[in-house]
């Protein structure tokens, strides 16, 4: 069994190491987590997003979206979201519950995006609009529609699914000290 799976502090550090790498490395399995919000018509809505930043010192996880997307309206109604990560190599599942702060049209964040990535923010008609053909839309980058979703970590549920399962919960309420849970 991996040493980090039996120690709360090591597990917390290992999880953040994986998250940081997920933000920096497009080949990391943590680069594209599921992002779930409360749907406007009830139930949950989940989609895959790209992890752009992971800060253990600020306890934040950042993804980006188009301000015209349904997830923005969902987050306006309820700023809570969950990001779900899976790392098959270490058998580690991370479920991060966050409170989302939205920042739209930030010039510095826009400049850090490559030209290809900028094409994902903007366009006509808006994302999710019904169209008559698969290519019946225009990709027009629009900085004002680029929205950073900065998730302020409320809790991190870490589950090791190796031969002997382990589970720990780290919560903002106790300063992320961590507690073991039955897996």
């Amino acid at each position: 069994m991996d040493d980090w799976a039996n120690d709360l502090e090591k597990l917390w550090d290992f999880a953040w190491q994986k998250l940081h790498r997920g933000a920096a490395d497009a080949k990391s399995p943590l680069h594209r987590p599921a992002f779930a919000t409360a749907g406007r018509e009830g139930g949950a809505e989940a989609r895959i997003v790209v992890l752009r930043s992971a800060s253990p010192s600020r306890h934040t996880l950042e993804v980006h979206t188009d301000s015209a997307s349904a997830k923005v309206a969902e987050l306006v109604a309820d700023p809570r979201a969950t990001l779900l990560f899976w790392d098959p190599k270490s058998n580690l599942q991370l479920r991060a519950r966050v409170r989302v702060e939205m920042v739209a049209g930030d010039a510095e964040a826009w400049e850090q995006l490559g030209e290809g990535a900028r094409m994902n923010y903007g366009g006509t008609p808006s994302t999710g609009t019904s169209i008559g053909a698969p290519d019946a839309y225009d990709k027009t980058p629009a900085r004002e529609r680029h929205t950073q979703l900065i998730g302020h970590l409320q809790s991190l549920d870490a589950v090791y699914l190796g031969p002997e399962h382990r589970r720990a919960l780290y919560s903002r309420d106790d300063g992320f000290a961590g507690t073991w849970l039955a897996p």
Side-chain angles (χ1 to χ4, degrees):
M1 173 175 296
D2 295 295
D3 182 47
W4 53 263
N6 282 315
D7 181 288
L8 285 170
E9 187 175 339
K10 288 179 182 178
L11 179 52
W12 172 257
D13 291 343
F14 185 75
W16 277 105
Q17 175 188 16
K18 290 289 186 178
L19 290 166
H20 184 70
R21 180 166 182 192
D25 181 0
K27 293 180 182 174
S28 166
L30 278 72
H31 189 64
R32 290 183 179 82
F35 184 87
T37 54
R40 292 184 295 167
E41 296 179 20
E45 296 291 339
R47 71 286 281 162
I48 301 300
V49 295
V50 173
L51 182 63
R52 300 289 183 174
S53 172
S55 173
S57 62
R58 293 189 325 248
H59 303 115
T60 58
L61 300 169
E62 182 177 322
V63 302
H64 297 176
T65 194
D66 186 311
S67 64
S69 72
K71 70 178 111 2
V72 168
E74 292 161 359
L75 290 165
V76 166
D78 183 347
R80 296 173 297 172
T82 298
L83 289 99
L84 180 64
F85 302 87
W86 170 247
D87 182 19
K89 187 173 181 179
S90 61
N91 291 310
L92 183 64
Q93 172 187 282
L94 299 173
R95 185 171 41 169
R97 291 186 180 97
V98 297
R99 181 165 295 276
V100 177
E101 168 191 359
M102 292 184 275
V103 179
D106 182 77
E108 184 178 331
W110 183 254
E111 290 303 317
Q112 291 177 4
L113 295 175
E115 287 298 320
R118 288 182 188 172
M119 298 301 284
N120 295 314
Y121 310 104
T124 305
S126 296
T127 181
T129 302
S130 180
I131 55 178
D135 61 351
Y137 65 94
D138 292 318
K139 285 188 167 189
T140 309
R143 187 181 94 193
E144 66 276 6
R145 291 211 353 226
H146 172 249
T147 304
Q148 297 163 266
L149 303 180
I150 303 166
H152 297 272
L153 190 65
Q154 303 303 301
S155 68
L156 182 68
D157 189 339
V159 183
Y160 171 68
L161 293 171
E164 295 182 37
H165 296 179
R166 300 286 187 265
R167 183 175 180 191
L169 179 66
Y170 302 88
S171 175
R172 179 172 293 280
D173 294 340
D174 68 3
F176 300 108
T179 187
W180 293 112
L181 301 177

